[in-house]
Amino acid sequence: TRVAVNLVASNEKGGSRQSDALLPSVAATRSLEEAMNAPDPTRSHLAVIVQTNFQVVAYTRSRLHISTLGLFCDVQSYKRLPNVVFFHLTRDSIKSAFRLGVTADQILRFLQVHAHPMMRSGNQPMPPANVRDQILLWDRERRRVVMDEVWVHQCRDDAEF
């Protein structure tokens, strides 16, 4: 919850400085895990709708919930009404969550657990299939290339080789 609290504090100060909040730590993972422990929207007061255009609509008044969503949603382009917050999922926002130690499965589980009750009643997957697939692709993308430190030794002639 420390990362979520830092996001709230930085938003209250009016600054967009998030360097302290975006350091890799287990706090981001813990805050998501704690938020997922309360799946009943009446207890957690969070109902999330993820649209196929990657817009996230969150029905909440809690700063902690908004900050938790800010871990993996674009906080630069959010819009807020009294009880609704609109975010967008972007490649950069998801990758910054990965750098914090949040996994793709945790993000998808959070969105599924806190899905709006009307979204849970239908046969459609939550989040939508294209959003789920894209988050998983962004996760695979970061593990596609592995960088290793190597040494290059150059021989002066064939005899050294």
Side-chain angles (χ1 to χ4, degrees), residues 27-28 44 47 58 99 103 107 109 119 127 130-131 136 140 148 152:
S44 67
R99 283 191 296 272
T103 66
I107 293 171
R109 186 170 155 232
M119 301 302 289
N130 69 319
V131 175
L136 291 172
R140 285 188 214 136
D148 287 330
V152 177

Side-chain angles (χ1 to χ4, degrees), residues 2 34 48 61 78 85 88 91 108 115 123 153 155-156:
R2 188 181 83 220
E34 288 171 6
V48 177
R61 292 181 182 206
Y78 83 96
V85 182
H88 274 88
R91 180 177 185 251
L108 293 171
N123 288 338
H153 296 281
C155 301
R156 296 177 209 182

Side-chain angles (χ1 to χ4, degrees), residues 69-70 72-78 86-90 93-94:
L69 286 165
F72 56 86
C73 293
D74 185 18
V75 294
Q76 303 297 327
S77 64
Y78 83 96
F86 299 91
F87 287 104
H88 274 88
L89 291 170
T90 63
S93 65
I94 296 292

